[in-house]
Amino acid sequence: MALDFPPFEPGTVWLVGAGPGDPGLVSLLAVHALEHADHVVHDALVDSRIVAMAHPGAVIESMGKRGGHASPRQGAINARLIELARAGKRVLRLKGGDPFVFGRGAEEALALAEADIRFRVVPGVTAGIGGLAYAGIPATARDCNSSLAFVTGHGQDGDVPDGFDWDGLARGAQVLVFYMALRQLDRVVERLLAAGRPADEPAAVVSKAATPQQSVLETTLGRLVEDLAAHPVDPPALLVVGGVAGLRRQLDWWSPA
Ligand code: SAH
């Protein structure tokens, strides 16, 4: 393939999205970065098959957040990226999904900018779009929604943000996609119902999307907590609320290889 890729310069950091799981969803620029990086710093969400695509001489380091588990502080990750770049390495910071969607990529890029280290961002397929697609749930469908909101179930302090305008959210977007929602799921559901979302609205919890362990719980907002207690799922998982979740009945196309 005669594509002109930008050179991966020593002393620079590439912040690269690895997508939700399936290695086939990794971009050509991400593959280029994997082939040329001296040092790969990946977070816990990145599929091991993708990390394994790195150049055999590359140093591989796992450094990332994982809800509920001990994980390095963000400051330590930023400092490590800066240290490696200053040592003249080609540093690949590999993150699950898209680096700029709830992935602390912005914080890392800001730290690099402040330290005067050149960086490039390679967007990835975010779980809230590509992961849902693997569950047969389109992000938008003409008959269902003309708006879509991505929401995090964790605030700065690791909790559902209390200062959040739940009424505004419930009215403001027809489809709501929650990242990191599992631990706070009952509170999220309670607040959405209190804010007027109907109990019979389709909802789904998509776990380990686009991986061989993908599982999907199809339910309604009113039954969600009870159904999930009966059929627990593993993180990482997304919660989607809105008409598009009901389309899975017809659009469930994917089955693990
Ligand atoms: N930057 C990532 C999101 C990081 S936040 C992205 O763009 O996708 C971590 C959250 O993302 C998880 O708690 C979960 O809600 C979601 N997530 C990431 N990968 C997932 C997957 N394969 N299946 C389901 N949810 C996933």
Side-chain angles (χ1 to χ4, degrees):
M1 217 178 328
L3 289 177
D4 232 359
F5 288 116
F8 198 157
E9 306 278 6
T12 67
V13 178
W14 285 28
L15 286 170
V16 176
D22 188 339
L25 296 179
V26 164
S27 70
L28 295 174
L29 264 178
V31 173
H32 173 72
L34 281 157
E35 284 169 350
H36 291 89
D38 300 312
H39 204 110
V40 179
V41 183
H42 67 91
D43 75 18
L45 277 178
V46 178
D47 194 288
S48 56
R49 294 167 296 173
I50 296 171
V51 177
M53 289 160 67
H55 180 267
V59 177
I60 310 289
E61 187 173 355
S62 169
M63 221 181 177
K65 305 241 162 201
R66 180 116 225 198
H69 294 261
S71 46
R73 298 177 70 85
Q74 189 60 45
I77 299 174
N78 298 349
R80 181 71 177 139
L81 298 177
I82 291 166
E83 179 190 21
L84 289 165
R86 289 205 172 129
K89 307 289 182 205
R90 299 173 182 86
V91 186
L92 167 54
R93 175 59 171 144
L94 194 60
K95 301 174 80 72
D98 183 279
F100 276 0
V101 180
F102 301 135
R104 311 251 179 165
E107 286 95 315
E108 291 172 14
L110 284 166
L112 295 169
E114 255 170 51
D116 258 335
I117 287 171
R118 276 186 302 130
F119 62 90
R120 164 180 281 269
V121 179
V122 179
V125 176
T126 190
I129 303 274
L132 293 189
Y134 271 57
I137 301 173
T140 73
R142 243 167 92 110
D143 289 342
C144 293
N145 62 320
S146 51
S147 59
L148 170 71
F150 287 157
V151 190
T152 171
H154 285 229
Q156 289 269 32
D157 311 326
D159 214 347
V160 170
D162 275 324
F164 207 70
D165 178 4
W166 287 93
D167 292 331
L169 178 69
R171 274 197 312 272
Q174 292 140 314
V175 167
L176 308 173
V177 178
F178 289 88
Y179 289 65
M180 297 173 272
L182 221 43
R183 267 201 295 165
Q184 300 295 333
L185 199 107
D186 38 357
R187 291 183 63 200
V188 168
V189 169
E190 184 189 308
R191 285 173 189 230
L192 290 177
L193 289 169
R197 297 293 289 226
D200 63 358
E201 186 167 21
V205 178
V206 181
S207 159
K208 299 191 173 175
T211 76
Q213 293 80 37
Q214 171 172 305
S215 74
V216 184
L217 175 72
E218 281 175 71
T219 180
T220 60
L221 197 54
R223 296 192 48 84
L224 185 66
V225 172
E226 199 181 316
D227 283 355
L228 196 66
H231 306 279
V233 302
D234 289 326
L238 298 151
L239 163 65
V240 54
V241 177
V244 291
L247 296 179
R248 173 176 155 82
R249 242 168 287 135
Q250 290 145 281
L251 302 183
D252 178 19
W253 58 272
W254 188 77
S255 56

